[in-house]
Amino acid sequence: MSKKFFNKIEDILMMPFRKHFLFLISFFFLATGPFFLWQFFYQHLPINGFFLTVHCFIISYVVTLLVGLIKPDVVRKVVQYILMAISAISFAINFYCIFELGYLLDADLAMLMLGTDLNETREFASVMLPKWMIPTVLGIFLVFIALWRLSQRHNMNLGKKASWVAMAGLCLCIAINVRAWPVWEEGPIHRIYEMTQYEVTEDLTPYYTHPRITFIDDAQLPSDVVLIIGESFARCHSSLYGYDKETNPELKALRDSAMLFTFDSIDSPAPTTAESIRLMLSTYSQADDESPSGDKKWFEYTTIIELMQDCGYDSYWFGNQARGSKKNGATRVFAEACRQQKFLQHEGADRYNVTTDMVLVDSSLQYIRQAKPGERHFIIYHMMGSHFDYAMRYPQEFAHFSEKDYASQPQGHRATLASYDNSILYNDHVVSQIMNLYRDKDAVVIYVPDHGQVMYRNPQRPDYFSHGNKKSALSYALGVEIPLFIYASPMYQERHPAIMERIRSHASTPTTWNSDDLPYLIMDLIGARQVGQEDIQSQSLLK
Ligand SMILES: [Zn+2]
């Protein structure tokens, strides 16, 4: 009895090796392969790559085992074919993402892909799809098809001995994986989990609550309130914060003429775009994120767009990032809450079909010129900023820094550092141009990026430069360090002396603050005292 039972268990556990070995290998390579290949070939992190390979092998074994248990055989075969087709598609997409975009398919990118229209996709593919890519991917598929054909004539499963060796290998993998468990966060299961975590709405307006807003007695509303949302700006790469390369000359000139104020010790609420924007543009906060009060979703909180509209401001969104999906969960719903919105990416594009940020200045000019006396405007600019690929974010005349300027840095980092700093330099130009558009108005302009970048500063991962990782305290801290600038026009400075005094005193002393509370800063700058039950000044940067 016990021998029979043991044999049965052995049959089941060995089944992936003895009956479905080709499926196991194909799934391992096509479905999970991009996750570890990315670590080896793009991130150059062989240890991470090794742990992920182990992790992915276990996943592939479990999937093969579960699918192998499906009865009858014909249903099992259909499931296997479907899984293979999905694996092949995901392999092709991830292969493209790794080699062309530098990262794996994630929730943001998936939402972006679902949201772009066919025309955009076609343009994008024709310009961005390297010629070698299609034959390479097809070649890889052909190898698997050939193996599959071969398996119909020859047994390609493992024999009794070999399968025991494979089982020993699997046990070793499990032992290794238990020790290096955090690596699962970069693996396929976690990626799927993240993609299911999106809580979305297509429209914010049904959730408006119109809280009562009270103002300081003698408050006088400025005519123009401008919010520039930057992208991937690591504070330590700004010469305004002590960086040794002159990356912010034009903003420095504005600061020298006492129109621009820079604030130190500011963090963004998240190291990634969508999450950060959700938190920055609404009263929804990190605390709500971590311990949801009841079932209240992020889109049920009051947004800064609603508040400004309630204060009589006409709202306009100029975006140079892709429009994204209605189900994107962030940027697009905020943009569409504005009375008007313009998405400029892909308009006037260069050879990469990428529109550099100067388009924001040009297209908002007309709107500003049409403004009538007595009107109030709340204008949001959403920049492409220093979004990866950095080298695609600036025109050639801003290619000021080159590899030779980074001789003290490791060889492999120099080109990336140079293109990153060039993108910051171009950002400096665009942001100061936007500020200058409002010079003759009673205007206040806030510049704040969605998050920073790690830029090789994490000793635990010395070759990593991209977004901070939420699960590593150090990586997270580096990824959320951001600059924050407030531009006050001469007229604003003259008309709002009390606020100016607070701006000046805070600009000279580092203030720990999280841009999560951005709505309170904006309301503070227009002279609001209270929104609903909430006190403005105590949550503002200028507290
Ligand atoms: Zn971002």
Side-chain angles (χ1 to χ4, degrees):
M1 173 67 185
S2 67
K3 184 145 193 251
K4 242 179 153 180
F5 178 73
F6 177 77
N7 284 346
K8 181 93 185 144
I9 296 289
E10 182 193 345
D11 275 351
I12 292 173
L13 293 179
M14 291 299 187
M15 176 179 47
F17 303 128
R18 292 180 186 167
K19 286 189 181 158
H20 307 294
F21 192 58
L22 184 59
F23 178 86
L24 168 64
I25 294 302
S26 309
F27 188 87
F28 174 62
F29 189 77
L30 295 176
T32 69
F35 289 87
F36 53 83
L37 293 175
W38 181 57
Q39 298 286 338
F40 285 116
F41 295 109
Y42 199 88
Q43 298 276 73
H44 303 293
L45 296 171
I47 295 172
N48 254 19
F50 170 74
F51 287 135
L52 267 170
T53 308
V54 164
H55 178 67
C56 289
F57 183 68
I58 299 167
I59 293 171
S60 305
Y61 169 84
V62 173
V63 169
T64 310
L65 181 69
L66 293 176
V67 173
L69 292 171
I70 295 174
K71 295 257 175 350
D73 278 2
V74 59
V75 177
R76 190 206 73 228
K77 275 195 176 156
V78 170
V79 173
Q80 282 180 328
Y81 283 127
I82 291 172
L83 278 179
M84 267 307 106
I86 295 172
S87 304
I89 293 166
S90 106
F91 179 83
I93 294 173
N94 274 313
F95 191 86
Y96 172 79
C97 290
I98 293 173
F99 288 102
E100 199 51 33
L101 306 178
Y103 52 91
L104 287 162
L105 180 66
D106 58 10
D108 282 354
L109 190 65
M111 294 302 167
L112 204 80
M113 282 178 167
L114 291 173
T116 40
D117 58 47
L118 204 63
N119 196 30
E120 278 176 338
T121 312
R122 205 182 313 117
E123 276 176 36
F124 185 73
S126 68
V127 187
M128 301 277 285
L129 202 60
K131 291 197 169 46
W132 59 270
M133 204 169 264
I134 292 176
T136 309
V137 171
L138 286 181
I140 292 168
F141 288 170
L142 276 177
V143 171
F144 282 96
I145 292 169
L147 282 172
W148 174 73
R149 297 279 303 194
L150 206 64
S151 74
Q152 311 227 292
R153 268 173 283 145
H154 303 277
N155 179 17
M156 294 187 66
N157 289 310
L158 299 186
K160 216 167 172 151
K161 267 190 195 158
S163 60
W164 272 107
V165 173
M167 183 51 80
L170 178 72
C171 292
L172 188 64
C173 284
I174 293 171
I176 294 169
N177 195 53
V178 168
R179 295 228 37 172
W181 183 241
V183 86
W184 90 286
E185 277 166 12
E186 288 171 71
I189 293 180
H190 190 254
R191 193 52 60 94
I192 292 167
Y193 167 75
E194 274 182 340
M195 287 193 185
T196 61
Q197 291 303 296
Y198 254 68
E199 280 171 342
V200 295
T201 178
E202 294 187 6
D203 187 3
L204 292 171
T205 50
Y207 303 100
Y208 280 8
T209 53
H210 302 293
R212 196 179 128 80
I213 303 168
T214 53
F215 287 88
I216 293 165
D217 300 337
D218 56 350
Q220 187 185 21
L221 298 179
S223 70
D224 291 76
V225 178
V226 181
L227 171 63
I228 308 174
I229 305 170
E231 175 63 65
S232 301
F233 191 158
R235 179 169 68 226
C236 62
H237 277 255
S238 166
S239 50
L240 292 168
Y241 295 86
Y243 189 46
D244 61 356
K245 300 210 164 35
E246 190 61 49
T247 48
N248 281 128
E250 295 187 40
L251 290 172
K252 181 174 184 294
L254 285 177
R255 186 168 74 174
D256 290 347
S257 55
M259 290 206 277
L260 185 87
F261 303 86
T262 54
F263 296 83
D264 210 346
S265 306
I266 310 285
D267 282 347
S268 68
T272 49
T273 306
E275 200 183 350
S276 180
I277 285 187
R278 274 204 290 273
L279 288 157
M280 286 202 299
L281 296 187
S282 71
T283 53
Y284 170 63
S285 75
Q286 283 174 307
D288 300 317
D289 195 20
E290 279 145 24
S291 61
S293 51
D295 285 331
K296 203 167 168 185
K297 310 264 193 304
W298 64 269
F299 43 80
E300 294 171 318
Y301 289 78
T302 308
T303 73
I304 185 60
I305 296 158
E306 174 192 352
L307 291 175
M308 292 301 278
Q309 286 168 342
D310 285 355
C311 294
Y313 283 84
D314 183 37
S315 50
Y316 207 130
W317 181 288
F318 291 95
N320 191 31
Q321 297 211 3
R323 185 187 300 264
S325 160
K326 279 215 166 201
K327 300 203 184 305
N328 179 303
T331 313
R332 182 166 170 174
V333 283
F334 286 105
E336 291 186 349
C338 294
R339 193 181 65 83
Q340 292 185 78
Q341 59 288 125
K342 226 179 188 141
F343 292 96
L344 299 153
Q345 190 56 233
H346 299 290
E347 282 181 25
D350 68 3
R351 74 190 173 95
Y352 290 113
N353 206 20
V354 169
T355 312
T356 44
D357 278 329
M358 204 57 192
V359 71
L360 292 165
V361 177
D362 302 336
S363 46
S364 60
L365 198 58
Q366 204 182 356
Y367 174 70
I368 296 161
R369 281 192 185 136
Q370 283 168 354
K372 293 181 188 67
E375 280 181 358
R376 287 196 284 268
H377 307 272
F378 177 48
I379 303 154
I380 299 177
Y381 293 90
H382 187 205
M383 303 181 72
M384 200 51 142
S386 298
H387 195 294
F388 192 79
D389 182 347
Y390 312 137
M392 284 161 70
R393 301 296 158 235
Y394 51 89
Q396 212 39 48
E397 60 268 31
F398 281 83
H400 177 77
F401 302 104
S402 64
E403 287 187 48
K404 65 174 181 353
D405 298 314
Y406 302 84
S408 62
Q409 304 293 329
Q411 179 73 50
H413 299 181
R414 292 176 196 166
T416 305
L417 285 168
S419 56
Y420 185 70
D421 285 345
N422 288 330
S423 74
I424 299 285
L425 184 67
Y426 180 60
N427 188 72
D428 175 76
H429 177 66
V430 176
V431 172
S432 44
Q433 290 291 311
I434 293 175
M435 289 169 171
N436 282 329
L437 293 176
Y438 298 90
R439 183 185 288 264
D440 300 327
K441 295 177 176 289
D442 178 8
V444 60
V445 183
I446 301 141
Y447 169 87
V448 59
D450 57 351
H451 51 77
Q453 295 275 270
V454 174
M455 298 319 292
Y456 305 119
R457 289 173 294 151
N458 181 358
Q460 292 157 2
R461 292 182 73 184
D463 292 326
Y464 183 80
F465 59 85
S466 187
H467 294 69
N469 181 347
K470 257 187 144 177
K471 306 294 175 193
S472 146
L474 179 58
S475 173
Y476 180 89
L478 294 169
V480 297
E481 277 178 12
I482 52 165
L484 189 143
F485 315 135
I486 294 178
Y487 168 91
S489 73
M491 204 191 293
Y492 182 92
Q493 300 206 19
E494 194 191 305
R495 290 192 185 174
H496 311 276
I499 297 174
M500 283 314 300
E501 200 171 304
R502 284 162 55 215
I503 290 178
R504 286 192 197 97
S505 83
H506 280 77
S508 52
T509 45
T511 315
T512 311
W513 190 72
N514 196 298
S515 55
D516 192 359
D517 287 331
L518 187 62
Y520 303 100
L521 170 62
I522 296 173
M523 293 311 282
D524 196 11
L525 290 170
I526 66 169
R529 185 201 294 273
Q530 252 191 326
V531 170
Q533 297 303 312
E534 299 209 66
D535 179 59
I536 294 300
Q537 203 176 320
S538 63
Q539 297 180 74
S540 163
L541 164 65
L542 313 174
K543 56 185 166 253

